[in-house]
């Protein structure tokens, strides 16, 4: 039996596997024809196959099947892993697009790699910051495992490992001057490094013989796969590399004083000195923050520093916390603030002498002076309440709909799974006694839990460990909410395990005889908040039907008549004063709420009103449209567990500070801000939440100095400690905008624009927002073409090297459920827009462009550890039906749902290896399957390992599979919707979109462009702080 190494991070995988076919077969592989389109789904184009299936899974190919010769995939099988030139298989018929292109060339004139000289920052004023030199390091540096040290685009950094052309000679340039990575099959021309100040050259898209080849346009899958392979072997040094890795890939960051990109990302890592220069780029100046982001294995934990009653050192003028970029003078007696340049006296207890260069001799012993992200314990003057361990209150809907549809059973299973990792109370009593730390899947030490249920009444439970079973107390008067318990409501989950377990298991039976159809949600929330008012905490609330009883009762507002007109935006917000008041009081009390909302019949839940409470308090809504218990219970259970076990803080305040010459102009996210300029307030904040901060100029920046930014989050940890988490990031400043274009962070720009657009949904029509997104994309690309791209024929679409995939992400934004044209349930739109305002950067990237993997043609080593212990992932494919092969099987993951799409002609051998010997056709599969069975087959182990990798790189949503069998399952419509490169979601295909953008860029260059504004839209959209006038100003 063959032995395959299984990575240590995937413990659930059985080690020995033997497939039913021979995975190492050397028989020739074929390439199947493209699959027919789903019913009702149309997309023209030629066949662009991605790879070959395993021979064993193509034994039952359809009659008349002819296999074209096998082409190379992304990489050849050579040890050097070179990228071969991949000739196009055929020319597509793009339906008359040639005339629209206007001579537009489709090829690639990729930018030459930038040498350390061209990318180097201007020499800065001496001693302007503490220790770090921000200038570009030499290309020949061998630091950090030989990682290329050039600051150019990542494509350039990886080119030495992934050359485009087979047999290409070694690059003649050192370090950052490597040739640019570009999709296979395109015409590559590498130019020498541009000297500093010369025009930038981006990717140019050209036509070939009058046709448009989709293979030659920028590919998001490749822009992810290549850096992902690189960062398996290398770390990311936060100072020496100025351009962060793509947000969608895992990487290990080495903190050198700049915070990790997991916590902070600037849209521009080189900032123009003036507003006029920034305006010429069309780009927003903003900062993405995810202050409690999870760390990857191999990254150093955030140090926690305690300065006692004195508190952490801060600038007396602007209150910036001590950080690596503050300088010390007068022999160490004064420190100069890097934000406002004010000289502060050093407290005697903090004093340390400096060396001749002005660097403190204890610098490396003080994390706050050499790390970009640290935490400070704070004294009582920072306290609003006495810090205690986090109180979790489960607020469970026990109304008729929750019981009848199995939603209550799923919630109860999730609670037990989160608290104990099992629903069996008889297991591992010894584990509880012998463990010093909290076992995995349980709450941090000091946390306590309580349980409250509700229908028309609110039921409290005494869970004291002294009782043999829980005692119920009923609050029947929902008009005047109160807490009938003084003790026993919140208990240690370990001490009261038997009481909690017996109660939770009994809940479905307790209320099955007396079913109340109308839940009273708002009084239940008010009662829960009253129970948490003295300490703060987190509410986990389930809901299965529209709350139509008691104060704050809701009704169906969405009658379908308001869709598609200006009145529709009223459905995206709430005007209910009682719900708004409750949300504000929750934030003031330091309480947040996460909702688990199911619509078993696809009914209306008014997420706009109910979700307002979670949005304002820093919580989250988990939404299950058309909830079906056999399919969705596992996902529900895992998401409840994730909510309880991720890092969570409460009673949180945030402040962002920046250098002189800049000022904060706007925030976008889920929080409460009473007045502009005040601190942001969060009832709770967790590891999955992010927000955007926009900046504007209040003067001119000094190009001799750097621009500094610091975020400070004051919060109470789940274990009951009051801390401040400080993240610092620095950017260089240049006289013009040309240098800034070399250091654009594509993910940060996309996230900032998406959050601004989501924030405007309650103010502007969806049509206005889609038009504004289009105009913004044109502004950025036209600004680059006009000012920075040098001399190119007018028929070429020139894309900035670091924004090559930006247009596809913006198309994904236009096609998202929040903004797409056509009919879409209001609850789905509101849920997605509110989620978009707070989701992390990686989750946003997957949401705008899903990951798609073919599993019918996995190589033998895919899904297992390589010789270095890293999981070998298959290459992802483009989100287009032209890539789908007949007889294929595909995983599609957008961070929210994970589909397993199976072609109607899929091989019975594949089904047997994947699902078991009893499954040889699609009809035999359980349509409500949510996870793969554990089988002793090679393919089954591969796919389960791949799925576990995808789960580990997701955001807040649990990964369970949903079958989408061709011609059988309704999930196939979701599969077609996620193919964002095709014409769907009431929007253009990727190629059509580029044609549209190019046409408007040409009009802009000719001075003939008119905004897509026929109804005063430019005035209507006033207020978009980060986006360019007149459309978004």
């Amino acid at each position: 039996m063959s032995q395959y190494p299984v990575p240590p991070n995937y413990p659930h995988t059985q080690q020995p596997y033997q497939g039913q076919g021979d995975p190492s077969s050397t028989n020739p592989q074929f390439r199947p024809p493209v699959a027919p389109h789903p019913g009702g789904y149309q997309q023209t184009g030629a066949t662009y196959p991605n790879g070959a299936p395993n021979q064993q899974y193509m034994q039952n190919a359809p009659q008349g099947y002819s296999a074209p010769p096998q082409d190379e995939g992304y990489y050849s099988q050579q040890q050097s892993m070179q990228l071969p030139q991949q000739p196009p298989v055929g020319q597509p018929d793009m339906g008359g697009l040639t005339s629209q292109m206007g001579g537009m060339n489709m090829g690639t004139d990729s930018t030459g790699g930038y040498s350390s000289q061209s990318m180097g920052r201007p020499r800065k004023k001496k001693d302007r910051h503490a220790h770090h030199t921000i200038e570009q390091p030499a290309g020949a540096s061998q630091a950090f495992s030989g990682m290329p040290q050039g600051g150019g685009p990542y494509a350039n950094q990886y080119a030495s490992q992934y050359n485009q052309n087979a047999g290409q000679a070694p690059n003649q340039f050192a370090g950052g001057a490597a040739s640019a990575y570009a999709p296979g099959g395109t015409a590559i021309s590498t130019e020498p490094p541009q000297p500093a100040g010369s025009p930038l050259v981006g990717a140019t898209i050209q036509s070939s013989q009058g046709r448009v080849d989709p293979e030659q346009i920028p590919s998001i899958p490749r822009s992810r796969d290549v850096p992902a392979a690189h960062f398996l072997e290398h770390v990311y040094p936060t100072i020496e590399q100025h351009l962060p890795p793509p947000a969608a890939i895992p990487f290990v960051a080495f903190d050198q004083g700049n915070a990790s990109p997991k916590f902070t990302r600037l849209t521009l890592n080189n900032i123009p000195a003036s507003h006029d220069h920034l305006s010429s780029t069309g780009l927003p100046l903003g900062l993405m923050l995810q202050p409690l982001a999870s760390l990857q294995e191999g990254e150093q934990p955030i140090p926690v520093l305690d300065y006692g009653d004195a508190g952490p050192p801060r600038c007396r003028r602007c209150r910036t916390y001590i950080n690596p970029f503050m300088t010390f003078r007068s022999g160490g007696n004064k420190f100069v603030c890097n934000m406002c340049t004010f000289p502060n006296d050093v407290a005697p207890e903090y004093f340390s002498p400096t060396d001749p260069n002005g660097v403190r001799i204890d610098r490396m012993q003080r994390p706050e002076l050499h790390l970009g992200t640290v935490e400070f314990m704070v004294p009582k003057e920072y306290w609003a309440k006495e810090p205690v361990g986090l109180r979790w209150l489960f607020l469970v809907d026990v109304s008729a709909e929750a019981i009848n549809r199995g939603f209550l059973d799923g919630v109860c299973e999730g609670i037990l799974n989160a608290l104990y990792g099992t629903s069996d109370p008889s297991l591992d009593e010894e584990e509880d006694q012998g463990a010093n730390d909290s076992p995995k899947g349980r709450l941090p030490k000091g946390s306590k839990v309580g349980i409250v249920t509700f229908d028309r009444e609110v039921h409290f439970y005494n869970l004291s460990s002294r009782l043999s079973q829980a005692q119920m107390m009923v609050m029947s008067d929902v008009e005047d909410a109160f807490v009938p318990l003084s003790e026993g409501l919140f208990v240690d989950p370990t001490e009261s395990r038997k009481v909690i377990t017996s109660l939770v298991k009994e809940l479905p039976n307790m209320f099955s005889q007396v079913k109340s159809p109308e839940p009273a949600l708002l009084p239940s929330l008010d009662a829960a908040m009253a129970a948490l008012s003295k300490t703060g905490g987190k509410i986990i609330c389930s809901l299965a039907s529209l709350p139509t009883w008691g104060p704050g009762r809701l009704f169906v507002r969405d009658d379908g008549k308001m869709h598609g007109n200006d009145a529709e935006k009223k459905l995206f917000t709430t005007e209910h004063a009682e719900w708004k008041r409750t949300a504000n009081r929750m934030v003031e009390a330091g309480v947040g709420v996460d909702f688990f909302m199911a619509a078993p019949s696809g009914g209306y839940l008014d997420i706009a009103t109910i979700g307002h409470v979670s949005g304002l308090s820093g919580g989250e809504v988990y939404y299950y449209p058309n909830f079906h218990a056999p399919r969705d219970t596992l996902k529900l259970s895992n998401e409840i567990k994730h909510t309880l076990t991720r890092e969570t803080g409460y009673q949180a305040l945030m402040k962002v500070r920046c250098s002189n010459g800049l000022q904060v102009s706007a925030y976008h996210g889920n929080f409460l801000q009473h007045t502009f300029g005040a601190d942001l307030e969060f009832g709770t904040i967790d590891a999955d939440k992010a927000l955007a901060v926009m900046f504007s100029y209040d003067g001119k920046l000094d190009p001799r100095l750097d621009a500094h930014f610091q975020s400070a989050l004051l919060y109470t940890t789940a274990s009951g400690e009051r801390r401040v988490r400080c993240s610092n990031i620095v950017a260089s400043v240049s006289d013009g905008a040309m240098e800034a274009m070399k250091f654009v962070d594509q993910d940060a720009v996309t996230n900032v624009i998406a959050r601004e657009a989501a924030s405007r949904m309650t103010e502007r029509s969806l049509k206005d927002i889609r038009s504004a997104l289009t105009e913004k994309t044109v502004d950025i690309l036209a600004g680059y073409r006009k000012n920075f791209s040098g001399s190119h024929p007018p028929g070429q679409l020139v894309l900035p090297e670091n924004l090559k995939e930006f247009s596809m992400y913006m198309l994904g934004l236009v096609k998202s459920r929040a903004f797409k044209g056509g009919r879409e349930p209001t609850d789905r739109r509101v849920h997605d827009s509110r989620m978009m305002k707070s989701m992390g950067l990686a989750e946003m990237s997957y949401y705008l462009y899903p990951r798609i993997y073919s599993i019918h043609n996995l190589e033998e080593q895919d899904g297992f550890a390589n010789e270095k212990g890293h999981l070998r992932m298959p290459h992802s494919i483009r989100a287009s039906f032209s890539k789908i092969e007949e007889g294929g099987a595909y995983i599609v993951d957008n961070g929210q749902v994970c589909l397993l799409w199976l072609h109607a002609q899929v091989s019975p051998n594949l089904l047997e290896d994947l699902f078991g010997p009893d499954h040889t056709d699609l009809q035999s599969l359980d349509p409500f399957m949510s996870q793969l069975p554990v089988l002793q087959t090679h393919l089954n182990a591969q796919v389960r390992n791949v799925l576990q990798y995808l789960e580990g790189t997701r955001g807040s949503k649990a990964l369970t599979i949903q079958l989408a069998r061709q011609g059988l399952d309704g999930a196939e419509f979701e599969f077609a919707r996620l193919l964002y490169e095709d014409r769907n979601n009431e929007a253009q295909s990727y190629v059509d979109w580029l044609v549209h953008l190019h046409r408007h860029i040409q009009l802009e260059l000719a001075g003939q462009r008119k905004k897509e504004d026929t109804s005063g839209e430019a005035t209507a959209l006033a207020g978009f702080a980060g986006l360019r006038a007149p459309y978004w100003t």
Side-chain angles (χ1 to χ4, degrees), residues 236-464:
Y236 169 75
T238 62
I239 284 286
E240 297 179 37
Q241 291 291 341
H242 306 318
L243 198 61
I249 69 167
F251 62 92
V252 173
F254 180 73
D255 191 339
Q256 298 177 310
N258 242 8
S260 165
K262 291 182 171 69
F263 302 119
T264 60
R265 278 179 180 261
L266 281 167
T267 56
L268 298 171
N269 292 282
N270 180 293
I271 299 175
S274 68
H275 173 73
D276 290 342
H277 289 141
L278 178 65
S279 297
S280 67
T281 67
L283 292 165
L285 176 56
L287 175 67
M288 288 303 307
L289 293 172
Q290 192 170 347
L292 298 181
S294 300
L295 296 174
Q296 187 169 318
E297 184 179 354
E299 294 182 318
Q300 53 190 338
I302 305 301
V304 181
L305 313 175
D306 190 353
Y307 288 93
D309 292 338
R314 302 179 67 178
C315 174
R316 287 192 293 118
R317 177 192 284 173
C318 68
R319 306 301 292 160
T320 298
Y321 289 85
I322 191 75
N323 62 73
F325 304 104
M326 288 186 172
T327 56
F328 289 83
R329 295 181 181 173
S330 303
N333 286 294
K334 289 185 179 293
F335 67 90
V336 180
C337 178
N338 59 317
M339 300 291 179
C340 67
T341 69
F342 182 76
N344 297 266
D345 293 329
V346 175
E349 62 271 16
Y350 194 67
F351 173 80
S352 172
T354 58
D355 65 14
N357 294 322
V359 179
R360 284 173 60 118
I361 61 174
D362 67 345
R363 176 180 172 275
M364 296 311 296
Q365 284 73 49
R366 290 196 174 273
E368 73 274 18
L369 297 182
H370 69 269
L371 295 179
T373 302
V374 296
E375 285 198 335
F376 300 106
M377 299 285 288
V378 293
K380 290 186 177 180
E381 62 191 76
Y382 291 80
W383 295 3
K385 299 173 182 176
E386 182 80 20
V388 297
L390 184 56
R391 269 48 175 164
W392 298 87
L393 184 60
F394 296 100
L395 189 60
V396 182
D397 179 8
V398 292
S399 63
E401 189 77 352
I403 296 170
N404 295 339
R405 301 291 184 163
F407 186 59
L408 178 58
D409 294 275
V411 171
C412 293
E413 180 182 321
I415 292 174
L416 293 178
N417 185 32
L419 294 178
Y420 308 114
T422 176
S423 58
D424 188 350
S426 64
L427 296 179
D428 57 43
E429 291 284 334
E430 300 122 0
E431 180 185 338
D432 293 333
Q433 299 171 0
N436 293 324
D437 299 323
S438 301
K440 184 178 180 182
R442 306 189 187 176
L443 301 183
K445 186 177 180 181
S447 297
K448 293 187 176 182
V449 301
I451 297 176
V452 175
T453 58
F454 68 97
D455 43 25
R456 287 188 176 185
E457 302 171 331
V458 184
H459 321 105
F460 293 83
Y461 298 89
N462 186 339
L463 304 174
S464 173

Side-chain angles (χ1 to χ4, degrees), residues 487-500:
E487 293 183 2
L489 179 58
F490 292 101
V491 297
D492 185 298
T494 302
E495 294 177 359
S496 300
R497 176 170 181 171
K498 289 185 177 179
V499 178
I500 292 173

Side-chain angles (χ1 to χ4, degrees), residues 892-911:
V892 184
D893 176 30
N894 75 336
Q896 311 300 313
V897 297
C898 181
L899 303 177
L900 179 56
W901 186 85
L902 301 171
H903 186 267
Q905 300 296 328
V906 68
S907 165
N909 289 350
L910 183 145
L911 295 178

Side-chain angles (χ1 to χ4, degrees), residues 92-106:
D93 176 15
M94 303 309 289
L97 287 183
T98 306
S99 60
Q100 299 179 34
M101 297 299 288
M104 167 178 167
N105 279 328
M106 274 324 255

Side-chain angles (χ1 to χ4, degrees), residues 44-45 92-103 210-212 983 991-992 995 999:
T44 57
D93 176 15
M94 303 309 289
L97 287 183
T98 306
S99 60
Q100 299 179 34
M101 297 299 288
R211 292 182 179 270
V212 178
R983 186 181 295 110
V991 172
D992 291 343
V995 170
R999 184 166 61 246

